[in-house]
Amino acid sequence: DLPLVAMAISEFAKGDHPLFPEYRNDDLILTENDLYCSDWRRACNDNGVIDGRDNPNRNASDDAKCSEWIYELHPYYSIHTRNETSHEGNQRKNMDKPADHSGDEEVLNFLQSKTILGIQDHYPFWKSWNHAPWAGKPVWACIGFNNCHCHHHHILLDDNIHNDPNDGAGGIRTPIELRGRGDGEKSISGYQSLFGKEALEMHGKHLIRVPTVKPLMEEDWFIRQIEEARWNLFLE
């Protein structure tokens, strides 16, 4: 339903919402070029790349060889065929073409260069990992690192965030500290996913559960939650 959501946001930004007819904001208008599908690709130590998307032949020996999962963004209509009648795409095709944006650094730089984007998560991949948070929607938390590419406070608001380290829609990505500098400065060599208690500690700062009815009944609910998350991060 990403194209339909993008259309609704764009119509609102053009002043076509019946409750806000005076509102105009060209920066919030989404075009086809602003829509993406996300994917996780598995990079391996010795055999190049193993496809970790929905690989039915995935096994323990493959997992043992793999050192890193790579988050990627593909143009939406390179993955979905177009349906001009409904403005929706059908089921995903195989992602054989290289991603437009690959890896934490590249994706972060791209996200932070835009005012708004539409990104479809990869539900089958998340499901195949029993809804583990790290396999869902990444959220970057990089406060305190010198060369971190995360220059904004990233927050995921989702109705599928739980007080359970093994089940949830949002996974926290944090920098891996570069060893051996010896000057007291913290620099990074890459990114990793948080697990367990460390991930739960990010609730209220980078992960916010959305009780679905609340924002409908309280029009400033999202704003209040974001301000509270900013304050919680400031108190760290």
Side-chain angles (χ1 to χ4, degrees):
D1 58 356
L2 179 58
L4 293 179
V5 173
M7 184 186 302
I9 293 173
S10 297
E11 293 303 308
F12 166 73
K14 295 174 184 175
D16 290 334
H17 192 291
L19 298 181
F20 304 96
E22 304 301 321
Y23 185 80
R24 302 285 192 283
N25 190 338
D26 290 344
D27 290 337
L28 295 181
I29 296 174
L30 288 151
T31 69
E32 288 185 2
N33 294 330
D34 297 317
L35 306 184
Y36 287 83
C37 291
S38 65
D39 186 30
W40 287 97
R41 177 170 59 81
R42 191 167 44 177
C44 294
N45 290 328
D46 49 4
N47 292 324
V49 174
I50 291 180
D51 184 4
R53 298 175 184 114
D54 298 299
N55 185 356
N57 299 315
R58 185 176 62 216
N59 56 51
S61 62
D62 282 342
D63 290 340
K65 291 186 294 186
C66 292
S67 61
E68 184 180 10
W69 289 93
I70 299 173
Y71 185 72
E72 299 185 323
L73 296 178
H74 296 257
Y76 183 85
Y77 284 111
S78 73
I79 306 305
H80 295 266
T81 54
R82 192 185 312 277
N83 185 326
E84 297 293 353
T85 303
S86 66
H87 301 283
E88 296 181 27
N90 65 8
Q91 294 297 314
R92 290 185 180 212
K93 301 179 289 184
N94 291 329
M95 287 182 262
D96 298 326
K97 296 180 180 180
D100 273 20
H101 307 281
S102 180
D104 295 87
E105 177 182 339
E106 192 173 315
V107 169
L108 269 171
N109 286 337
F110 176 62
L111 292 180
Q112 295 173 154
S113 72
K114 308 291 286 187
T115 303
I116 186 170
L117 287 170
I119 300 175
Q120 182 187 63
D121 61 343
H122 197 339
Y123 178 81
F125 177 78
W126 180 53
K127 182 180 179 182
S128 75
W129 287 95
N130 297 316
H131 306 112
W134 72 265
K137 305 164 186 175
V139 185
W140 287 269
C142 315
I143 302 300
F145 285 83
N146 292 329
N147 63 332
C148 180
H149 299 85
C150 180
H151 304 305
H152 298 275
H153 180 184
H154 290 246
I155 303 172
L156 175 66
L157 298 106
D158 197 287
D159 61 353
N160 214 339
I161 292 173
H162 312 295
N163 191 31
D164 182 344
N166 301 310
D167 186 289
I172 299 295
R173 299 283 292 171
T174 60
I176 301 170
E177 187 172 353
L178 183 65
R179 302 293 182 182
R181 282 186 56 128
D183 56 6
E185 299 291 337
K186 293 173 67 177
S187 295
I188 67 170
S189 61
Y191 294 81
Q192 63 188 350
S193 294
L194 286 187
F195 297 92
K197 181 182 177 181
E198 288 184 313
L200 292 180
E201 289 175 351
M202 296 297 177
H203 285 227
K205 301 171 186 173
H206 296 280
L207 299 172
I208 298 174
R209 181 178 176 272
V210 180
T212 309
V213 177
K214 275 280 189 180
L216 299 176
M217 300 178 66
E218 304 171 22
E219 63 179 25
D220 64 340
W221 188 87
F222 282 117
I223 301 298
R224 298 202 317 270
Q225 300 306 308
I226 291 170
E227 288 301 316
E228 185 175 341
R230 292 177 63 187
W231 179 247
N232 289 338
L233 195 66
F234 172 76
L235 292 176
E236 243 183 18

